[in-house]
Amino acid sequence: MMIQGGERPRSGGGSGGNGSDEEEELEVGKSRGESKSSWKRLFELVRMESPGRNVIVYRDGSSLGQSSVSDASYIIHPDCWSYKLWLHFILLWAVYSSFFTPLEFGFFRGLPENLFLLDIAGQIAFLIDIALHFFVAYRDPHSYRLVCSHKLIAIRYLKSRFLIDFLGCLPWDAIFKVSGRKEAVRYMLWIRLSRVRRVSEFFDRLEKNIRIKYLFTRIVKLLVVELYCTHTAACIFYYLATTMPPSQEGYTWIGSLQMGDYNYTSFREIDLWKRYITSLYFAIVTMATVGYGEIHAVNVREMIFVMIYVSFDMILGAYLLGNMTALIVKRIKDRKV
């Protein structure tokens, strides 16, 4: 049986008529008449099981049950404000990692060292988040009761996202250098894009928040999707060019590019910001298919990717236009009402 925090204990004995196990619902904070510090609230035990009895045990060893428990462990309540603060903190790192991973994959030659140091700090934060997941209680999807068993929490996390989260925290740049700079190892960086899920879940919560206009949240989400797709495509476009041998760099879309009196013959020596803007411009005009013809695919690899990219853009464009149209129609109907 499980004790759900946040509910007041019922008066009376609470014994079942058929002699079944007792079930007590106790309030973790206010019912004790004590004020605990926030760090204790973060690691307060919501439920401990003993034979035939449930008991709530606090960090200092005191309990709110009738039976004593010798082996106390700590559980993080998912609704604790300290844990929610941590979720917002890790969300910022997820946004950064989601945009930095394609940049690291495509522009890995010549990136500033400060960006790599910031990336290392982010990986440490995600490792801490993995450890916290083994202590966070969750609600059963059927009964909506709080599950606080360490074994069940660990099994649930190990079966769901643990492997992907752990692989995303590995230092793939160092592994790439140790492995003899094999390009196949660099593709493992894309595992970190699984962190985009946190950003998507954040927008889903905003859409359900009645204090924020749904129209505004939805438009921002669609704009972020479009920006992220073009950003990722720009990094892949540059990756296709920079992985060509230096002797064949003129046989790439950027190596053969000439805009006015300026040419990109030695594009690896150009400023990083200018290379990124050029790649982003190529990605946007290809997505909108309104290019002026000055930038185009040159070799077979680039042609194959452009075909895949344009095919994907047709689906993405239909999704964006369909959602925008639905939002406008809904807005008009709401105004008439």
Side-chain angles (χ1 to χ4, degrees), residues 165-315:
D165 291 345
F166 178 74
L167 291 177
C169 293
L170 293 180
W172 292 111
D173 289 319
I175 298 175
F176 169 71
K177 295 176 182 178
V178 172
S179 63
R181 297 183 178 274
K182 295 181 180 179
E183 288 297 325
V185 178
R186 292 199 55 80
Y187 286 93
M188 299 299 292
L189 276 174
W190 292 108
I191 296 178
R192 296 178 180 176
L193 292 188
S194 61
R195 297 163 183 170
V196 178
R197 179 196 70 253
R198 297 177 180 269
V199 184
S200 178
E201 292 173 353
F202 172 73
F203 277 107
D204 291 340
R205 291 194 298 268
L206 286 183
E207 290 176 355
K208 297 176 183 178
N209 194 334
I210 60 175
R211 292 173 295 182
I212 302 176
K213 289 187 178 180
Y214 174 81
L215 178 65
F216 172 78
T217 305
R218 193 65 179 174
I219 291 177
V220 171
K221 181 179 180 179
L222 294 176
L223 291 177
V224 170
V225 169
E226 182 180 3
L227 175 63
Y228 185 74
C229 290
T230 52
H231 166 76
T232 304
C235 296
I236 295 177
F237 274 128
Y238 184 79
Y239 173 82
L240 294 176
T242 194
T243 50
M244 293 289 288
S247 58
Q248 301 181 16
E249 66 179 10
Y251 192 54
T252 60
W253 69 269
I254 190 172
S256 60
L257 179 61
Q258 183 171 354
M259 304 185 74
D261 297 332
Y262 188 83
N263 62 73
Y264 290 76
T265 303
S266 301
F267 63 88
R268 291 184 178 89
E269 307 299 328
I270 302 175
D271 180 65
L272 173 64
W273 180 249
K274 190 169 187 177
R275 281 179 286 161
Y276 174 74
I277 291 297
T278 305
S279 302
L280 189 61
Y281 172 76
F282 185 25
I284 291 177
V285 296
T286 303
M287 170 180 280
T289 63
V290 294
Y292 300 102
E294 77 278 29
I295 303 182
H296 54 81
V298 175
N299 53 57
V300 177
R301 290 201 311 171
E302 295 172 356
M303 293 178 184
I304 293 175
F305 179 70
V306 167
M307 288 188 293
I308 297 174
Y309 179 52
V310 172
S311 301
F312 169 77
D313 286 341
M314 291 189 299
I315 301 175

Side-chain angles (χ1 to χ4, degrees), residues 17 42 77 86 161 212 261 332:
L42 176 61
H77 197 289
W86 169 261
R161 306 192 305 260
I212 302 176
D261 297 332
I332 294 175

Side-chain angles (χ1 to χ4, degrees), residues 130-149:
I130 290 176
L132 289 178
H133 268 85
F134 287 97
F135 297 92
V136 180
Y138 69 93
R139 296 194 178 276
D140 185 87
H142 302 290
S143 63
Y144 203 65
R145 288 186 174 275
L146 208 61
V147 179
C148 305
S149 170

Side-chain angles (χ1 to χ4, degrees), residues 46-62:
V46 183
R47 182 189 66 112
M48 282 293 298
E49 288 189 358
S50 62
R53 183 76 66 175
N54 291 330
V55 62
I56 295 180
V57 180
Y58 291 91
R59 186 181 180 88
D60 57 4
S62 59

